[in-house]
């Protein structure tokens, strides 16, 4: 690795109810960072409104820190979500290089050196694509695969399959995320893939969790999927237009058929009960689908118009300083 004494590195670590693993994460990560003599390293914990003792453990780590590693704690006033935690860490980082990762050790700290080597080759963005997750069952693997296939179908931009929230960005990329891409409905791993710059992908295997349980549920995955789709694509609106045209053609053919049967057929059809029922059933179903799609876009547009904070910080604590 080239000698880059003046470059600084920040690890942005999102934390939500991870009291069982934080100390092990810090111990493991600090060992790897201590070997990176060419970088001035900083660890930024972002506590996303944890309800357990995560913050107390982070405060203890900061208080007992006697290494050259700088440690900062950002505590949210409540839970704002994983995406908000990552963008908050990026906002507070002033470093040349920023790596976002989770605190559950499923984003291996051992990959940090390889990520930095890839950055030094001229890449502003280093994506980490998960090839395998050792504690995933068949259901989660299938849902994850369907998630990315759906994104590929509906999104204008083709995203890297199995890209994770474990990634590296340069200071220039971080500046863009700080000044732009401030949507309340965020898909950060997608944003960094569409802003340009030199980008490459590394692969990694996610080990089983060291302790505790995953905070991602099917509901969380579904919410992330909806956010990704509606943040990156207008295709659902085009789909609703397609259904409108389709229903118009169906209605037109029904009208023509009814007129032909009425004026030229010897066997007069019933009074139209069946046709009316079919027409109304299909029509209202399609109408409901279109209204639902439009409502989702409208609701998300309202979120952006309200311009409420992406996150609220309750306290910031840093090694060598008093909390504020």
């Amino acid at each position: 690795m080239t000698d880059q004494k003046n470059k600084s590195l920040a690890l942005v670590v999102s934390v939500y109810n991870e009291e069982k693993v934080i100390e092990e994460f810090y111990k493991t990560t600090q060992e790897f960072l201590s070997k990176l003599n060419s970088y001035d390293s900083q660890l930024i914990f972002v506590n996303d409104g944890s309800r357990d003792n995560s913050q107390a453990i982070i405060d203890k780590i900061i208080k007992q820190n006697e290494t050259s590693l700088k440690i900062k704690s950002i505590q949210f006033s409540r839970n704002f979500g994983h995406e908000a935690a990552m963008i908050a860490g990026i906002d507070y980082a002033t470093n040349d290089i920023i790596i976002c990762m989770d605190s559950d050790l499923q984003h291996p700290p051992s990959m940090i050196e390889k990520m930095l080597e890839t950055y030094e080759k001229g890449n502003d963005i280093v994506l980490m694509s998960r090839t395998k997750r050792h504690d995933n069952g068949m259901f989660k693997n299938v849902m994850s695969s369907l998630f990315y296939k759906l994104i590929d179908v509906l999104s204008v931009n083709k995203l890297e399959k199995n890209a994770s929230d474990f990634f590296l960005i340069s200071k220039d990329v971080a500046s863009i995320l700080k000044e732009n891409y401030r949507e309340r409905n965020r898909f950060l791993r997608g944003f960094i893939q569409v802003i340009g710059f030199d980008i490459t992908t590394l692969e990694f295997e996610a080990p089983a969790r060291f302790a505790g349980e995953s905070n991602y549920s099917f509901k969380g995955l579904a919410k992330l999927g909806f956010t990704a789709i509606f943040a990156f694509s207008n295709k659902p609106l085009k789909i609703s237009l397609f259904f409108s045209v389709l229903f118009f053609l169906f209605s037109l053919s029904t009208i023509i058929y009814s007129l032909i049967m009425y004026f030229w057929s010897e066997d007069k059809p019933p009074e139209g009960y069946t046709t009316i029922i079919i027409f109304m059933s299909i029509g209202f179903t399609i109408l409901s689908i279109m209204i639902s799609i439009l409502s989702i876009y409208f609701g998300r547009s309202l979120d952006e118009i309200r311009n409420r904070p992406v996150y609220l910080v309750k306290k910031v604590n840093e090694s060598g300083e008093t909390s504020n």
Side-chain angles (χ1 to χ4, degrees):
M1 190 176 293
T2 58
D3 187 15
Q4 297 289 342
K5 290 290 184 181
N6 295 325
K7 286 189 177 178
S8 58
L9 166 68
L11 293 189
V12 173
V13 185
S14 57
V15 178
Y16 181 67
N17 294 340
E18 297 288 1
E19 62 179 3
K20 295 180 180 179
V21 74
I22 292 177
E23 287 185 305
E24 183 65 24
F25 169 84
Y26 169 70
K27 178 182 177 182
T28 304
T29 304
Q30 195 276 329
E31 289 178 357
F32 281 105
L33 293 178
S34 65
K35 300 174 184 178
L36 302 177
N37 298 322
S38 299
Y39 297 89
D40 181 16
S41 301
Q42 181 182 24
L43 194 58
I44 302 177
F45 288 105
V46 184
N47 181 5
D48 184 25
S50 297
R51 298 187 182 92
D52 60 5
N53 292 320
S54 294
Q55 187 59 47
I57 297 172
I58 294 172
D59 291 339
K60 178 183 176 183
I61 290 173
I62 292 176
K63 184 178 181 180
Q64 296 180 350
N65 179 42
E66 297 180 351
T67 68
S68 59
L69 177 64
K70 299 175 184 177
I71 308 176
K72 178 179 289 186
S73 163
I74 302 169
Q75 184 180 1
F76 283 176
S77 60
R78 62 171 177 82
N79 177 250
F80 284 89
H82 186 253
E83 295 277 325
M86 288 190 292
I87 198 64
I90 293 172
D91 287 345
Y92 274 79
T94 59
N95 309 69
D96 300 307
I97 310 161
I98 300 172
I99 294 178
C100 289
M101 62 193 306
D102 293 343
S103 59
D104 56 12
L105 288 174
Q106 292 192 300
H107 293 163
S110 58
M111 294 296 299
I112 293 174
E113 186 172 5
K114 190 173 182 180
M115 294 170 74
L116 292 171
E117 289 175 351
T118 306
Y119 161 81
E120 295 294 351
K121 293 177 181 178
N123 295 288
D124 290 283
I125 303 170
V126 181
L127 299 174
M128 300 299 292
S129 177
R130 186 178 61 242
T131 59
K132 186 177 181 180
R133 183 167 175 174
H134 288 274
D135 61 353
N136 256 12
M138 181 181 295
F139 177 75
K140 284 189 176 181
N141 286 328
V142 170
M143 293 306 300
S144 178
S145 177
L146 289 176
F147 167 75
Y148 283 102
K149 287 180 180 178
L150 186 60
I151 293 297
D152 280 342
V153 170
L154 294 179
S155 178
V156 175
N157 303 287
K158 299 302 179 183
L159 303 183
E160 179 70 31
K161 183 180 179 181
N162 293 325
S164 65
D165 290 324
F166 185 23
F167 56 81
L168 177 152
I169 57 175
S170 67
K171 188 174 183 178
D172 290 337
V173 175
S175 296
I176 292 174
L177 294 176
K178 292 177 184 181
E179 297 171 8
N180 304 292
Y181 291 93
R182 303 301 295 188
E183 290 95 328
R184 273 67 197 156
N185 301 288
R186 297 162 306 281
F187 187 53
L188 198 54
R189 76 180 76 164
F191 287 167
I192 63 174
Q193 295 185 54
V194 300
I195 61 177
F197 290 85
D198 294 312
I199 182 171
T200 190
T201 302
L202 298 177
E203 294 182 343
F204 76 101
E205 289 189 9
R209 286 180 61 91
F210 174 79
E213 297 180 356
S214 174
N215 292 311
Y216 257 113
S217 60
F218 175 75
K219 180 181 178 181
L221 183 62
K223 183 179 179 181
L224 180 64
F226 272 106
T227 298
I229 291 169
F230 290 101
F232 271 87
S233 177
N234 289 326
K235 281 189 178 181
L237 290 173
K238 296 178 182 178
I239 292 173
S240 67
L241 179 61
F242 169 77
F243 275 117
S244 299
V245 172
L246 189 67
F247 185 62
F248 169 76
L249 294 175
F250 172 77
S251 302
L252 184 62
S253 62
T254 302
I255 291 172
I256 294 173
Y257 171 77
S258 298
L259 290 174
I260 292 173
M261 293 296 291
Y262 183 81
F263 288 107
W264 288 285
S265 177
E266 294 182 359
D267 298 324
K268 300 295 182 183
E271 290 301 320
Y273 174 81
T274 303
T275 301
I276 292 174
I277 292 300
I278 294 174
F279 180 84
M280 291 182 63
S281 298
I282 297 177
F284 280 106
T285 299
I286 294 175
L287 184 62
S288 297
I289 293 173
M290 291 188 293
I291 291 176
S292 298
I293 292 173
L294 293 172
S295 297
I296 293 172
Y297 275 103
F298 179 70
R300 293 179 182 272
S301 297
L302 280 179
D303 286 340
E304 306 302 328
I305 293 171
R306 292 186 182 114
N307 198 31
R308 291 173 180 170
V310 176
Y311 58 86
L312 293 173
V313 175
K314 178 180 179 181
K315 183 188 294 184
V316 177
N317 192 13
E318 191 168 358
S319 55
E321 298 182 4
T322 58
S323 61
N324 54 26

